[in-house]
Amino acid sequence: MLFNSFEFIFVFLPIVLMTFFLLAKLKQTYYATMFLVVASLAFYSYWDIRYLPLLVGSIIFNYVIGQFIEKKRAKRVLAIAVIVNLSLLCWFKYIGFFIRSFNDVAGLSLFVPEVILPLGISFFTFTQIAYLVDAYRGETQRNNLLTYSLFVTVFPHLIAGPILYHKHMIPQFSDPKNFIFSHENMIKGIIFFSVGLIKKTLIADTLAVWVKPVFDNPMNVSFVEGWFGALSYTLQLYFDFSAYSEMAIGLGLMFNLKLPINFNSPYQSLSIREFWQRWHITLSEFLKNYLYIPLGGNRNGSQKRMINLFVTMLIGGLWHGAGWTFVVWGALHGCYLVINHSWRRLNISLPNGLSWGLTFVCIVIAWVIFRANNLQEAIAILIGMSGANGIVLPSFLEKMPFVYQWGFPFARLELLPPNWKASASFFALFVLLLAVVSMPNIQKLCNYSSPIGMGERKSDSQDYSTYVPVLLGIGFFLALKIIAEAAPSEFLYFNF
C-alpha cells in the first residue's frame, strides 16, 4: 500500500487512527498496541502476503535471540544471529547478482534463481541487526514480544525507513502519554504528510518524466541533454526520498511517535562528509556505528582510517542494490570521503561557493552512475555531459540574442521535453535547485528534532503555526487530483 494512494489516505489511515485512539481512550493500551501491530502487518501484506511469514519469522527469531544475548552477553550467538540475518538478505537481494557475476568471470552458465525481493527487507534487517548489537552492548531494556514487534513493523517506517533504533523507539511505545490524542501532534503530522505528498506527486513524479528519456537513450545524449537528465534525476531522488521521509515523520506524529529525521537538506552541504551527515541519516548512523567503528574507525592511524571509510561506503553502495552501478557508486563516494578527509588534514579552506559547487557536481556525477542501467550506459551519459559529443543548444535559446555570441549551433534536442515546454522545464529545474540549496526544510520550519541521540539539534525556527493552511490545502488537493487521474507511483527507495 502506497502512502500516496487513495486507499491509504482515505481508508487505511483513518480506520487505524480512530481504532487505535478509541482503544487507548478505553484504557486498553495493550490491545491498542496489538491493533497497531496487526495493522502494520496488514499494511505490509497488502503488497505481497507471501512474504509475511518471512517478516514474522524474522521478528520472532531476532526477539528470542536478542533476549538471550541480553542476558548472557553471548558474542558467538550474536555473530551467528547477524550471519543468519545477512544470509537471508543476501539470498533474496544478492543471490542473482553474485551468480551472474561469477558466471561472467568464470565463463560458466550456472543456474540463476529468480528471487523476488521482499519489500522492506533491507530496512527491517538492519533495524534488527542494530537491536542485536545493542543487546550485546547492554543498551537494550527487557521488553515483551508485542512491543518489539511494533518496533520492527510500525508501518510509517516499515517499507523504506528510516532505520529505527531500539533505545529511541521502545520508550515511546511504552509511554502512557503517547496513547493520549494530541491535537498539536496531529496538526504537525498532517503538515508533514501533506508536504511530503505534494513533493512526491507534484514534483518528483513530474521530474521522473524528464529523467526517463535521457537514461533510456544513453548513447545519444548530448551535453545539454546529459546535464538536463542528470540534474532532473538529482532533484527527483531528492524530492522523492524527502517526500517519503517527511510522510513517515508525519504519520509517526499522528500516533504521537517521534521518528528520526532521515533527510536534512543534503544539497546544501559544503563537503561530501557533510552530505553523508544529511543524506539518509539513519543509514549513515548504522554504517558508522555497526560497520566503520567495529572495523577500527580512526583508532589505528590515518591510513587504516581511509581504508575503513572506503570499505564502509563500498558496502553502503551494495546495500542500495544488487548491481555494479551501486558498487561503483559506493566506491566513488568512498574515494570522495578519502579525498575530503585528506584535504581537511591540509587545513586549507575554500570559499563556500566553490566548496558547494565542487561537492554538488561530485554528487551529480555519482547519481548518474547510481541511476544508469549499467556501467557502460553511465559512462556514455558522462561522456555526453563532458561535451565530448559536442555542444548543441536547444532551439528555444535562439530567441535570446545574447546567446549567439557563444558560437554554439542550435537544434531541437529530442530527449528534452517538446520545445514549447523546454524553456519552462529549464526554468523549473533552476527554481527547484535554488529552493533545495537555499530554503529551510520542513523540520526546521516546524521545529522538529530527532529522538535523543541522533545528533540533530533543535531548530530555533518558527513552528507549524506560521504555515498558511490555505496554500498547503491547495497543494494537497492538487496532489489528490493527480492521484485520482493516474495510478500513484512507487517511491524510489522501495527498490533499495
Side-chain angles (χ1 to χ4, degrees):
M1 194 180 305
L2 298 170
F3 288 170
N4 53 326
S5 65
F6 264 95
E7 58 264 36
F8 178 84
I9 296 171
F10 293 111
V11 180
F12 178 85
L13 183 58
I15 290 175
V16 174
L17 279 170
M18 287 188 292
T19 305
F20 175 80
F21 283 112
L22 176 61
L23 289 170
K25 190 173 181 61
L26 295 173
K27 309 298 183 185
Q28 302 296 323
T29 55
Y30 177 84
Y31 291 106
T33 303
M34 181 184 293
F35 173 77
L36 198 51
V37 171
V38 172
S40 297
L41 293 175
F43 173 83
Y44 185 81
S45 302
Y46 187 88
W47 191 267
D48 193 336
I49 197 171
R50 291 176 297 173
Y51 288 109
L52 180 60
L54 173 68
L55 174 59
V56 173
S58 174
I59 290 169
I60 295 173
F61 169 80
N62 284 291
Y63 174 76
V64 172
I65 295 297
Q67 295 292 297
F68 181 83
I69 293 174
E70 190 176 329
K71 291 178 183 176
K72 304 293 185 180
R73 299 291 190 272
K75 191 172 185 178
R76 185 172 297 179
V77 175
L78 170 64
I80 293 172
V82 170
I83 290 171
V84 169
N85 278 282
L86 291 178
S87 297
L88 279 175
L89 180 62
C90 287
W91 169 259
F92 284 103
K93 193 168 184 176
Y94 302 109
I95 187 64
F97 169 66
F98 289 154
I99 294 178
R100 281 191 294 271
S101 298
F102 181 76
N103 284 342
D104 292 340
V105 172
L108 301 176
S109 55
L110 299 177
F111 173 71
V112 181
E114 292 295 328
V115 181
I116 299 174
L117 180 66
L119 203 62
I121 187 170
S122 297
F123 290 95
F124 67 70
T125 298
F126 274 27
T127 291
Q128 295 188 99
I129 288 176
Y131 161 75
L132 293 175
V133 175
D134 288 348
Y136 174 75
R137 293 172 176 173
E139 297 175 0
T140 59
Q141 299 176 352
R142 297 294 300 275
N143 53 80
N144 57 47
L145 178 60
L146 183 64
T147 304
Y148 178 79
S149 299
L150 182 59
F151 158 66
V152 177
T153 65
V154 62
F155 69 87
H157 103 101
L158 181 58
I159 306 302
I163 298 170
L164 300 184
Y165 295 92
H166 180 276
K167 59 187 174 184
H168 302 143
M169 299 307 301
I170 292 293
Q172 295 188 61
F173 295 139
S174 56
D175 187 349
K177 295 179 181 178
N178 282 6
F179 291 91
I180 301 173
F181 181 83
S182 167
H183 291 88
E184 180 180 349
N185 282 343
M186 181 59 67
I187 292 171
K188 280 191 176 183
I190 291 172
I191 289 173
F192 269 90
F193 186 86
S194 301
V195 169
L197 183 67
I198 292 166
K199 280 186 175 182
K200 168 62 176 170
T201 308
L202 299 185
I203 302 177
D205 290 350
T206 299
L207 290 168
V209 178
W210 301 349
V211 171
K212 193 174 186 301
V214 174
F215 284 88
D216 285 352
N217 300 276
M219 303 306 172
N220 303 316
V221 170
S222 69
F223 176 82
V224 174
E225 290 168 334
W227 279 101
F228 181 86
L231 288 173
S232 294
Y233 181 68
T234 298
L235 291 170
Q236 180 202 356
L237 190 57
Y238 177 98
F239 283 103
D240 192 281
F241 188 23
S242 65
Y244 185 94
S245 300
E246 287 157 13
M247 293 169 86
I249 287 175
L251 291 168
L253 283 171
M254 293 179 194
F255 291 91
N256 296 324
L257 297 175
K258 205 168 190 181
L259 270 62
I261 294 171
N262 210 21
F263 205 79
N264 186 21
S265 300
Y267 293 163
Q268 296 180 12
S269 304
L270 301 182
S271 68
I272 292 296
R273 178 174 176 268
E274 184 184 353
F275 172 77
W276 280 106
Q277 293 171 342
R278 291 168 171 263
W279 178 278
H280 211 328
I281 297 170
T282 57
L283 175 62
S284 296
E285 289 279 334
F286 181 92
L287 293 174
K288 174 186 173 184
N289 294 330
Y290 303 99
L291 183 57
Y292 173 71
I293 292 177
L295 283 173
N298 58 3
R299 296 191 299 272
N300 299 309
S302 59
Q303 185 176 358
K304 188 65 165 67
R305 179 190 189 187
M306 299 307 178
I307 294 173
N308 293 338
L309 273 173
F310 182 82
V311 170
T312 299
M313 294 312 300
L314 190 69
I315 294 174
L318 187 61
W319 176 87
H320 280 83
W324 286 110
T325 53
F326 299 107
V327 174
V328 172
W329 174 80
L332 186 56
H333 270 280
C335 292
Y336 287 164
L337 284 172
V338 168
I339 294 170
N340 192 168
H341 283 274
S342 299
W343 181 265
R344 291 181 70 212
R345 292 176 63 191
L346 299 176
N347 200 27
I348 300 174
S349 60
L350 297 175
N352 285 350
L354 181 58
S355 295
W356 175 83
L358 288 172
T359 301
F360 187 72
V361 169
C362 288
I363 291 168
V364 172
I365 290 171
W367 283 142
V368 171
I369 299 170
F370 188 87
R371 170 62 174 80
N373 297 317
N374 53 60
L375 291 177
Q376 291 77 15
E377 294 185 3
I379 292 170
I381 293 174
L382 291 173
I383 288 174
M385 291 169 63
S386 72
N389 297 336
I391 299 177
V392 179
L393 300 180
S395 57
F396 74 84
L397 289 177
E398 288 181 304
K399 300 175 183 178
M400 302 179 185
F402 67 89
V403 179
Y404 283 108
Q405 301 173 12
W406 299 348
F408 295 114
F410 299 91
R412 183 179 182 277
L413 301 180
E414 297 297 327
L415 301 182
L416 298 184
N419 276 351
W420 67 275
K421 290 183 179 179
S423 57
S425 302
F426 276 88
F427 179 72
L429 280 184
F430 174 77
V431 171
L432 291 174
L433 182 57
L434 187 63
V436 300
V437 301
S438 61
M439 292 181 62
N441 54 46
I442 182 65
Q443 55 259 24
K444 287 185 178 179
L445 291 170
C446 279
N447 218 7
Y448 182 88
S449 58
S450 277
I452 295 173
M454 290 303 295
E456 293 296 317
R457 291 177 297 179
K458 191 167 182 177
S459 168
D460 294 327
S461 304
Q462 298 174 357
D463 66 9
Y464 71 94
S465 61
T466 64
Y467 274 80
V468 182
V470 174
L471 293 178
L472 197 61
I474 291 172
F476 181 80
F477 285 107
L478 278 174
L480 291 182
K481 183 177 183 295
I482 292 174
I483 294 172
E485 293 175 351
S489 62
E490 294 180 14
F491 292 85
L492 292 177
Y493 258 72
F494 278 19
N495 300 315
F496 308 139

